[in-house]
């Protein structure tokens, strides 16, 4: 079965600094990969997704992620963090034939220091 | 983007009562919706896949008699927590798929926080 690991439970960065959130997955074939953001008490918003093609994908709010098959990773990056980026970030994996059933990582809580 | 709305956003009930949570796709039709449960500081756990006009498909370990799912129309799925107990307290989130197949994008509702006293 597929699985997702987000090694960092909490990350704190200063506003304006760069950000990288780690995500590693386990799946035998090429997965579908997603990053979602969740603000307190809210549902999830899709930041970006990877299905195939260019391994560097651009998302909303200035986020990007790179799929590295050799490392089974799909790390999320942002060059300059804004205070409004403080939230919980979830990496998720979907599988071929899985019908949109996603397996989520445990999330990374991002705090932004002003 | 497409909008998925959940109601109520918060509900408090007494132990032993039943609670219904609605999930609506506001501007699109969704043949498939998904129900997740999120524990505090934990990830989302898929509970079941709700299919319009047919029975829901439950994930292993999820009690189908406890968590009743009905998908009566292309824009509405409901989750009923029957005979709720304090351990059922959680944040329940639904999602709906736009498009077909694995590449259809999922849109999530705002979530419903259930507290069972």
């Amino acid at each position: 079965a597929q699985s997702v690991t987000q090694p960092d439970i909490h990350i704190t960065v200063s506003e304006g600094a760069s950000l990288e959130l780690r995500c590693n997955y386990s799946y035998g074939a090429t997965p579908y990969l997603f990053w979602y953001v969740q603000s307190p008490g809210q549902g999830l918003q899709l930041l970006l997704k990877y299905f195939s093609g260019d391994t560097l994908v651009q998302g909303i709010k200035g986020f990007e992620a790179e799929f590295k098959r050799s490392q089974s990773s799909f790390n999320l990056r942002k060059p300059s963090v804004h205070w409004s980026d403080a939230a919980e970030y979830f990496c998720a994996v979907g599988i071929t034939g899985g019908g949109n059933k996603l397996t989520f990582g445990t999330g990374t809580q991002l705090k932004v220091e002003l | 983007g497409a909008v998925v709305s959940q109601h109520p956003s918060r509900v408090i009930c007494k132990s032993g009562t039943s609670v219904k949570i609605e999930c609506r796709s506001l501007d699109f039709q969704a043949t498939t919706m998904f129900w997740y449960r999120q524990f505090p500081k934990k990830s989302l756990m898929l509970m079941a896949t709700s299919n319009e006009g047919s029975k829901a498909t439950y994930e292993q370990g999820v009690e189908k008699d406890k968590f009743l799912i009905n998908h009566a129309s292309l824009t509405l799925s409901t989750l009923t927590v029957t005979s709720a107990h304090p351990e059922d307290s959680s944040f329940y989130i639904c999602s709906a798929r736009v498009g077909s197949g694995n590449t259809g994008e999922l849109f999530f509702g705002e979530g419903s926080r259930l507290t069972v006293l």
Side-chain angles (χ1 to χ4, degrees):
Chain A
Q2 70 278 11
S3 65
V4 179
T5 301
Q6 291 181 247
D8 304 305
I9 299 174
H10 296 99
I11 282 186
T12 301
V13 299
S14 299
E15 188 175 38
S18 63
L19 171 70
E20 183 168 32
L21 302 181
R22 295 184 291 167
C23 172
N24 293 96
Y25 69 90
S26 174
Y27 180 56
T30 301
Y32 302 118
L33 295 162
F34 306 81
W35 274 100
Y36 287 89
V37 60
Q38 183 182 33
S39 297
Q42 299 295 314
L44 278 71
Q45 181 183 24
L46 179 67
L47 287 176
L48 47 78
K49 60 188 176 185
Y50 171 80
F51 291 148
S52 65
D54 193 347
T55 56
L56 182 64
V57 294
Q58 303 295 321
I60 63 172
K61 303 184 180 185
F63 286 93
E64 67 176 27
E66 186 171 11
F67 170 57
K68 292 186 177 180
R69 184 190 304 275
S70 61
Q71 298 177 20
S72 297
S73 69
F74 188 57
N75 294 348
L76 181 71
R77 300 192 294 251
K78 187 170 184 178
S80 177
V81 170
H82 189 263
W83 64 268
S84 60
D85 293 324
E88 185 95 25
Y89 291 80
F90 291 95
C91 181
V93 61
I95 63 174
T96 306
N100 283 108
K101 287 170 60 173
L102 300 182
T103 299
F104 285 84
T106 49
T108 298
Q109 181 72 48
L110 173 65
K111 292 185 180 180
V112 179
E113 292 181 332
L114 300 177
Chain B
V3 178
V4 175
S5 179
Q6 283 183 241
H7 178 80
S9 58
R10 294 178 180 272
V11 56
I12 300 173
C13 69
K14 293 182 179 180
S15 185
T17 61
S18 295
V19 175
K20 179 185 287 188
I21 301 171
E22 295 184 345
C23 177
R24 294 182 183 274
S25 55
L26 297 186
D27 49 2
F28 66 100
Q29 293 182 331
T31 56
T32 302
M33 292 184 176
F34 302 89
W35 285 96
Y36 291 85
R37 181 173 179 176
Q38 185 177 31
F39 294 94
K41 301 188 185 301
K42 295 287 187 181
S43 184
L44 284 78
M45 179 192 76
L46 179 65
M47 298 175 65
T49 302
S50 172
N51 301 296
E52 188 269 335
S54 64
K55 291 182 179 180
T57 303
Y58 290 82
E59 295 300 303
Q60 190 173 9
V62 178
E63 300 176 60
K64 58 182 65 177
D65 294 330
K66 174 75 169 176
F67 299 99
L68 300 179
I69 291 173
N70 183 274
H71 195 153
S73 77
L74 288 171
T75 59
L76 174 64
S77 175
T78 60
L79 168 68
T80 301
V81 183
T82 63
S83 187
H85 290 281
E87 57 265 30
D88 298 325
S89 298
S90 194
F91 195 55
Y92 294 88
I93 303 177
C94 73
S95 68
R97 184 173 67 197
V98 176
S100 61
N102 286 322
T103 58
E105 184 169 343
L106 287 180
F107 289 87
F108 286 78
E110 318 94 317
S112 299
R113 183 164 300 284
L114 170 63
T115 302
V116 184
L117 303 177

